[in-house]
Amino acid sequence: MALRAAVFDLVGVLTLPSVTSFWDRAEEELALPRGFLSKAFLKGGPDGSSTRVMRGEITFSQWVPFMEEDCRKCSEDSGICLPENFSIKKIFEKVLSARKINYPMLQAAVTLKKKGFTTCILTNTWLDDSAERGRLAQMLCELKPHFDFLIESCQIGMVKPDPQIYKFVLDTLKTSPGEVVFLDNFETNLKPAREMGTVTILVHDTDTALKELEKVTGVQLLQTAAPLPISCDPSTVTHGYVPIKGISQAVFIGHDWGGMLVWTIALFHPERVRAVASLNTPFMPSNPKVSSMEIIKANPAFNYQLYFQEPGVAEAELEKNLNRTFKSFFRSNDEVRSVGRNKWLFAGGILVNTPEEPTLSRMVTEEDIQFYVQEFKKSGFRGPLNWYRNMDRNWEWGCKGMGRKILIPALMVTAEKDFVLTPDMSKHMENWVHGYKGVKFQNWARTYGCCPEMYFQPTSVEEIREVLALARQQNKRVKVVGGGHSPSDIACTDGFMIHMGKMNRVLKVDTEKKQVTVEAGILLADLHPQLDKHGLALSNLGAVSDVTAGGVIGSGTHNTGIKHGILATQVVTLTLLTADGTILECSESSNAEVFQAARVHLGCLGVILTVTLQCVPQFHLQETTFPSTLKEVLDNLDSHLKKSEYFRFLWFPHSENVSVIYQDHTNKPPSSSANWFWDYAIGFYLLEFLLWISTFLPGLVGWINRFFFWLLFNGKKENCNLSHKIFTYECRFKQHVQDWAIPREKTKEALLELKAMLEANPKVVAHYPVEVRFTRGDDILLSPCFQRDSCYMNIIMYRPYGKDVPRLDYWLAYETIMKKVGGRPHWAKAHNCTRKDFEKMYPAFKRFCAIREKLDPTGMFLNAYLEKVFY
C-alpha cells in the first residue's frame, strides 16, 4: 500500500536538541548519574505526574513541584544529594531556550506536503503556563502553517506510546496504518505504531532519518531549500496557532460570548496569551456533572438558544429582511418591543411582534445598519448560529480543564446594569484567576494598612514564580504577607502583595529526627494539632499562634527562657525563592551564609517556600502566676531566671507592682483558673471602657493600672496544659507596641530609668503591662539577640474602641533609653531607627546587606519600611 501521510514528532525531530540529549548535558553539568532525570520524569508510570501533565490534566506550573519531589525521591533512593542549585524550572528554561527548528526536517515535511502527502505534527507536550510560555508559542507559530494537522497530547488527553493515540491520528488523517510513516526519536513511541502496521523511522540524526524517509516515500528530500513563511488562512487554522505577522503572543479581550472564548483560550493555550480581559462575562468552569444544554433547558431566559438549535429555522427568519433584523437588534432596553427571549421558541421566532419597518434606534446610524446588512448578505447567519449548536462539544472540551487556574495576568470588568451577566456572577473568580485588584490590607491591630496594586494567593511555587516574572516585566515591587499580626508597616506595599495562606501544608513529619517540614504559609495554630498527632511540639512559641511559619522567622519572633533562642533558632532548613526565580535550599551545610541571613529575613531576600523545624517530644507546662514588686524582681533577677525555664514578668507602670510568671515542665493533668467574669467582663470590657474614659482624663491611667493589678493579679494562680496552649494567649485589645532587645545585664538599669522617666513626667502615661522576657543569644545576622543573651522589654498603649491614644512622648523616651543601653528593636514592631542606627547596632549588618543585594539586586522585595532600614 502506498504511503500518503507523514507524522513527525516535535522534539528531537522537527526541533533540536532532543530532550534526552539535553538531559544528558544537564546531568553532566549537575554531576548527576546518567539517566537520573529520565528516571525521575517517568516515575509513577501511567499515573505519574509527567503523564498527567502531558495528558493536560495539570499544567506545567502545577507539574514542576511534583517533578522536583520525584527528583528528591530518586536521589534518596540512589543515595545521592541533589546540587544546591538544582531546579527543574531552570533546566526546562534551558531546554526551551536551546531548542531550535530543525530546518532540513521541516523542509522535508513541506516537500512531502507539496507532493500530496498529508502531514501532521504529533507531540507529547503540556499546557505551558510558565513565564517563558512565549518560546513554545513562537516555535509552534512558525511550524504549524506548514502542516495539515497539529496533534498535542495535552489537548486530546492521550499520550504516546498509548496505542489509542495512534488510532486517533489515523482517524484524524483518514488513513489506514499502512499509508502512514511515523518519525520519532523514542523507540518506545514507535513500537505500538509499528505493531499496527505503520512504517516507522527512529530519528537519531537528521541526515540518516531523511535518507530513510526519502527511501520509503520515493520523494527527493535532501538538499532542498528552506521553506518560506506562508500566508494564514483563518478558516483552516486549528488549535489557536495563528501566525499573525510573527506575533506569538497577544492580549485577548472578549465581551459576552467572546469573554467566554478568551477565558478558554487563556486556559487551554496560555502560551499564546500575554494577558486576558473580559467585559461582563466571568470565567465559569465547566461542570462535568451538568452539560451546557441541560443548563439552557432548565433556564427560561435561555429559551432563545433552543430556538437556534434547528438548522435553517432561525437563518430563514433573520436573513429574510436584514434591515428589519438589525434595526430590531440594535436597540436600548427601553426601545425593545419584541417578544421576550424566554418566549421565542414558543412564539415562533425572534422578530414576532416587531414592525416590518422598524424605526432607527438612537443608538446607531443608518450607516451602521447598512454596514451589517452588507456583511451578512455575504456570510448569512449560519456561522454565528452554529455557535449555539456546538454547546455540548464546547462543554466537553471545557471539562478537560477542570481544576485548572488561569495563571496569566487577567482583568474582569463588570457592568452594573447588565441584567443577564450580573456583577454577582463574578464573585469568587479569585478562586480561578491568579491575582486580583481592589484589596485593602490591614494588620491585625488596624494600625497600618495599604492598597496593593495586585493581590495574589498562590497555591504552588510556579504561581509565585509567575508573580515574580510579572513583577520583573512591569518593574513592580513585591511583598509577602502571612498572618498580618506585625504591628508595623513591614508588610505594606503599593505594588504586588502575595498572601501565602493557601500554601499551608505539612509536607513531612520525621518522628525519628523529631523534625517537621511545612509550607511557609501554614499558621502555627494549624501546625500544633498536627504535631500533637505525632507526639511532638515546638520547644518555644510566641504569644500568638495565628502567624505563619515564614512570618515568625522573618521578623525574629521570640518568647522567653534563657535556655531558648528566638523562634528562628528552631529552623533546620528552609527553601527560598529569589527574585530571579531560583530556589535555594538553605541550612548550616548548604548555602550557609544565606541561611544565616534568611532565618530573620525581613521579607527582603525572596519568598520563603518551606521551613523545616526542629521539634521536641510533646510536653505539658504548669504556669504559675504570683504578685511581687519591681524592686524584689530586679534584685533577685538571676534567681528567678534559674528557678523557671520560661520566666517573664509584667510591670505595672506608675506603681511598684509586678506579676511574676513561671512556666515549667509538669506531669500534672490539665487544669485552668480561667473565669469568664474576671477574664472578659472585668479584664476586657470594663478595662476597655475605663481606658476610653482615660483618653479624656489621662490622670486615670495610673489608678487603672493599680486597680486592675489589685483585681486580677494580686493572688497566686496555676494553669496546666499542653505547651502550646500555655505559651499562647488571646490578644483581645487592638494596640500600639514597641519591643526592644537589650543586653540582659542592662535589664535593671533600663527598667529603673523608664520608671524614673514616668515619675519625672506625670503627664506621660503608660498602660500596663511592660512585659519583660529573656532570650539566649544566637548567630543569625539580623537577630536582635545576635551574639548576646538578651532581655526584651515590651511597652504597650491600647486603642480602646479603636481610638488612638497619645503616646509620642512615651515612645520617644522609651526609644532613647533603649538606644542608650545598646538595644535593638523588634523587626515586626514600629520604630524610628534608620540605616545609621542599624550599622551601629548590628556587627553583621553590612554582611546582610551584601547578601540582600546579591539575591535581590533590583530591590523587588523592598518597601517604605525596608528602605528606611537599608538606605
Side-chain angles (χ1 to χ4, degrees):
M1 188 177 293
L3 294 177
R4 62 186 188 91
V7 179
F8 298 80
D9 189 19
L10 179 64
V11 182
V13 177
L14 288 170
T15 66
L16 297 173
S18 67
V19 171
T20 50
S21 65
F22 192 91
W23 280 0
D24 289 346
R25 197 179 314 155
E27 287 163 351
E28 186 177 340
E29 290 176 0
L30 297 169
L32 293 171
R34 180 60 62 91
F36 175 85
L37 291 173
S38 296
K39 180 181 177 183
F41 186 82
L42 297 173
K43 194 174 180 66
D47 298 319
S49 61
S50 296
T51 303
R52 291 180 62 211
V53 74
M54 291 188 294
R55 279 201 300 253
E57 295 173 8
I58 57 177
T59 66
F60 178 82
S61 300
Q62 293 168 321
W63 168 74
V64 167
F66 290 112
M67 178 62 176
E68 292 190 333
E69 179 61 24
D70 287 338
C71 288
R72 278 192 284 272
K73 289 177 181 176
C74 285
S75 68
E76 291 172 2
D77 294 343
S78 305
I80 63 171
C81 292
L82 291 175
E84 293 180 5
N85 59 342
F86 182 81
S87 166
I88 287 296
K89 176 74 159 46
K90 289 290 184 184
I91 290 172
F92 272 81
E93 281 179 8
K94 288 182 179 180
V95 169
L96 287 174
S97 62
R99 192 180 295 171
K100 306 294 181 187
I101 290 176
N102 183 2
Y103 282 102
M105 189 64 73
L106 174 58
Q107 180 56 47
V110 171
T111 302
L112 288 172
K113 186 176 180 182
K114 287 179 179 178
K115 294 293 184 178
F117 278 71
T118 301
T119 57
C120 174
I121 301 173
L122 174 63
T123 177
N124 280 352
T125 189
W126 52 79
L127 294 166
D128 191 351
D129 54 355
S130 69
E132 291 75 28
R133 60 188 179 274
R135 291 172 177 169
L136 177 61
Q138 181 67 50
M139 190 164 292
L140 289 173
C141 270
E142 189 169 345
L143 288 171
K144 174 59 186 75
H146 299 289
F147 291 81
D148 295 299
F149 296 96
L150 167 63
I151 299 176
E152 300 172 274
S153 63
C154 63
Q155 301 292 357
I156 62 172
M158 292 179 273
V159 179
K160 294 184 289 184
D162 180 354
Q164 292 301 317
I165 197 170
Y166 303 104
K167 293 177 182 178
F168 179 88
V169 172
L170 295 175
D171 290 342
T172 302
L173 272 57
K174 296 181 171 55
T175 57
S176 60
E179 295 176 312
V180 181
V181 57
F182 276 92
L183 294 89
D184 202 299
N185 74 323
F186 283 100
E187 171 59 28
T188 52
N189 290 342
L190 292 175
K191 184 180 177 183
R194 190 163 52 248
E195 290 173 349
M196 293 171 61
T198 298
V199 177
T200 62
I201 296 175
L202 180 62
V203 180
H204 283 310
D205 69 87
T206 301
D207 286 345
T208 303
L210 288 178
K211 287 177 184 177
E212 287 188 55
L213 185 59
E214 196 173 63
K215 182 178 178 181
V216 299
T217 61
V219 177
Q220 182 181 345
L221 300 174
L222 295 168
Q223 299 178 339
T224 55
L228 295 172
I230 65 173
S231 60
C232 166
D233 179 2
S235 66
T236 64
V237 170
T238 58
H239 297 275
Y241 289 103
V242 186
I244 305 172
K245 296 181 181 178
I247 299 173
S248 59
Q249 282 188 336
V251 176
F252 289 84
I253 302 173
H255 170 253
D256 204 86
W257 283 117
M260 193 190 84
L261 192 59
V262 297
W263 290 127
T264 305
I265 293 170
L267 194 68
F268 284 93
H269 295 283
E271 73 280 1
R272 299 303 313 279
V273 184
R274 178 161 293 176
V276 62
S278 176
L279 307 178
N280 294 34
T281 313
F283 173 61
M284 294 177 283
S286 294
N287 182 348
K289 296 180 180 179
V290 185
S291 73
S292 296
M293 288 308 297
E294 289 179 71
I295 295 172
I296 290 168
K297 290 174 182 177
N299 191 335
F302 295 144
N303 183 267
Y304 71 99
Q305 298 185 34
L306 298 179
Y307 171 66
F308 290 160
Q309 294 304 309
E310 184 64 33
V313 175
E315 287 94 329
E317 181 189 17
L318 298 174
E319 293 170 10
K320 180 179 179 181
N321 184 340
L322 291 172
N323 270 292
R324 179 191 183 196
T325 296
F326 288 110
K327 285 184 178 179
S328 299
F329 276 5
F330 293 130
R331 293 187 171 275
S332 61
N333 289 336
D334 62 342
E335 295 177 315
V336 173
R337 300 231 182 352
S338 66
V339 176
R341 66 177 67 196
N342 58 331
K343 299 178 182 178
W344 287 349
L345 178 62
F346 308 107
I350 293 176
L351 303 179
V352 174
N353 292 343
T354 63
E356 287 293 327
E357 296 294 334
T359 57
L360 189 67
S361 168
R362 63 178 181 272
M363 292 175 58
V364 292
T365 66
E366 185 65 35
E367 184 180 3
D368 297 331
I369 295 295
Q370 291 309 310
F371 172 82
Y372 284 98
V373 168
Q374 295 306 314
E375 291 299 314
F376 275 79
K377 275 183 180 179
K378 302 173 191 174
S379 66
F381 275 89
R382 175 59 57 90
L385 289 170
N386 278 347
W387 170 270
Y388 295 92
R389 296 160 189 161
N390 203 42
M391 289 294 188
D392 274 347
R393 291 185 185 89
N394 285 337
W395 167 73
E396 289 170 4
W397 180 259
C399 287
K400 295 178 183 178
M402 187 176 64
R404 294 183 198 160
K405 291 178 71 173
I406 293 172
L407 302 181
I408 58 177
L411 173 66
M412 176 67 209
V413 180
T414 60
E416 182 181 2
K417 296 182 180 179
D418 190 326
F419 58 85
V420 178
L421 298 170
T422 62
D424 282 350
M425 295 175 70
S426 300
K427 286 183 177 179
H428 308 301
M429 263 194 68
E430 63 271 17
N431 295 329
W432 300 103
V433 177
H434 187 40
Y436 46 101
K437 296 190 176 188
V439 171
K440 183 176 182 181
F441 167 78
Q442 281 195 310
N443 67 341
W444 173 83
R446 298 187 177 275
T447 50
Y448 292 90
C450 64
C451 296
E453 180 179 336
M454 289 291 290
Y455 183 83
F456 300 90
Q457 291 181 291
T459 59
S460 70
V461 175
E462 278 310 303
E463 288 183 23
I464 301 176
R465 275 200 175 109
E466 284 283 336
V467 177
L468 301 190
L470 185 62
R472 289 195 301 271
Q473 180 185 334
Q474 298 185 6
N475 196 28
K476 301 294 184 183
R477 288 186 168 178
V478 177
K479 286 307 297 176
V480 179
V481 65
H485 262 268
S486 294
S488 71
D489 56 344
I490 190 170
C492 291
T493 184
D494 57 3
F496 292 174
M497 178 172 281
I498 298 176
H499 187 280
M500 295 291 284
K502 292 186 178 180
M503 294 186 68
N504 60 354
R505 296 176 299 163
V506 175
L507 301 176
K508 182 179 180 182
V509 178
D510 188 329
T511 53
E512 186 176 334
K513 292 182 179 179
K514 298 181 178 62
Q515 293 176 355
V516 61
T517 302
V518 298
E519 288 183 312
I522 192 170
L523 294 175
L524 295 190
D526 295 329
L527 176 59
H528 299 324
Q530 298 298 317
L531 293 179
D532 286 343
K533 293 177 184 178
H534 296 278
L536 297 174
L538 296 174
S539 62
N540 206 352
L541 290 169
V544 178
S545 279
D546 289 327
V547 290
T548 62
V552 294
I553 67 171
S555 58
T557 300
H558 67 95
N559 189 16
T560 192
I562 57 172
K563 295 179 181 178
H564 300 277
I566 63 174
L567 268 62
T569 59
Q570 298 174 64
V571 175
V572 179
T573 62
L574 58 84
T575 56
L576 176 72
L577 180 65
T578 62
D580 67 358
T582 301
I583 293 180
L584 299 179
E585 300 229 6
C586 306
S587 65
E588 289 183 351
S589 58
S590 176
N591 292 306
E593 188 176 40
V594 176
F595 183 63
Q596 248 192 316
R599 282 187 291 169
V600 177
H601 54 77
L602 309 188
C604 68
L605 301 181
V607 182
I608 302 294
L609 300 175
T610 67
V611 180
T612 300
L613 297 163
Q614 183 62 56
C615 303
V616 296
Q618 186 185 68
F619 63 102
H620 287 67
L621 286 175
Q622 174 177 304
E623 179 180 85
T624 304
T625 305
F626 58 90
S628 186
T629 64
L630 184 61
K631 183 178 187 309
E632 186 279 325
V633 170
L634 293 179
D635 287 348
N636 299 285
L637 186 59
D638 288 342
S639 175
H640 283 293
L641 288 167
K642 291 174 184 176
K643 282 181 181 178
S644 177
E645 183 175 356
Y646 303 99
F647 160 69
R648 61 190 169 103
F649 68 91
L650 312 177
W651 171 51
F652 289 65
H654 309 292
S655 78
E656 275 286 326
N657 297 326
V658 163
S659 177
V660 175
I661 302 167
Y662 286 175
Q663 293 173 340
D664 294 284
H665 287 246
T666 185
N667 293 320
K668 292 181 179 180
S671 63
S672 174
S673 60
N675 180 288
W676 184 90
F677 176 77
W678 290 107
D679 294 343
Y680 281 90
I682 302 299
F684 178 48
Y685 297 113
L686 177 60
L687 177 58
E688 186 170 30
F689 175 71
L690 291 176
L691 288 174
W692 180 76
I693 295 293
S694 75
T695 62
F696 305 99
L697 300 169
L700 283 177
V701 170
W703 176 83
I704 290 171
N705 290 357
R706 294 187 293 274
F707 178 62
F708 274 84
F709 177 82
W710 175 75
L711 275 178
L712 303 176
F713 298 90
N714 203 25
K716 184 177 180 180
K717 295 179 183 177
E718 289 186 357
N719 297 290
C720 297
N721 215 321
L722 286 170
S723 57
H724 63 83
K725 295 184 178 181
I726 295 294
F727 282 137
T728 59
Y729 55 83
E730 181 184 5
C731 288
R732 298 168 189 155
F733 286 98
K734 306 303 182 186
Q735 57 200 236
H736 291 286
V737 294
Q738 281 238 54
D739 193 15
W740 284 54
I742 63 175
R744 197 171 84 196
E745 61 272 15
K746 296 287 186 178
T747 304
K748 183 174 184 178
E749 176 186 340
L751 264 175
L752 290 178
E753 188 164 345
L754 184 63
K755 182 172 182 288
M757 183 279 297
L758 291 172
E759 291 171 348
N761 297 276
K763 291 186 178 180
V764 177
V765 297
H767 292 165
Y768 84 82
V770 171
E771 184 177 20
V772 184
R773 290 173 284 181
F774 303 88
T775 307
R776 190 191 68 211
D778 57 55
D779 63 351
I780 303 171
L781 300 188
L782 287 193
S783 165
C785 302
F786 181 71
Q787 294 183 343
R788 71 186 192 196
D789 294 341
S790 300
C791 163
Y792 276 92
M793 197 172 296
N794 185 94
I795 65 172
I796 192 166
M797 290 296 283
Y798 299 113
R799 302 174 60 238
Y801 307 122
K803 183 178 181 180
D804 272 328
V805 296
R807 67 183 189 282
L808 183 59
D809 291 339
Y810 184 27
W811 251 230
L812 292 176
Y814 166 84
E815 280 199 3
T816 300
I817 296 169
M818 294 298 102
K819 287 181 180 179
K820 178 181 174 182
V821 296
R824 298 165 181 162
H826 191 310
W827 291 109
K829 312 293 174 72
H831 58 79
N832 294 305
C833 299
T834 63
R835 174 169 181 139
K836 287 185 178 180
D837 296 312
F838 294 122
E839 286 177 343
K840 295 176 183 176
M841 294 172 180
Y842 288 94
F845 187 77
K846 290 183 178 179
R847 278 178 60 198
F848 185 95
C849 290
I851 294 169
R852 187 198 70 77
E853 289 163 9
K854 181 179 179 182
L855 296 177
D856 183 21
T858 63
M860 176 187 289
F861 296 108
L862 295 180
N863 63 357
Y865 174 102
L866 293 171
E867 283 182 343
K868 187 172 66 172
V869 172
F870 295 112
Y871 294 106

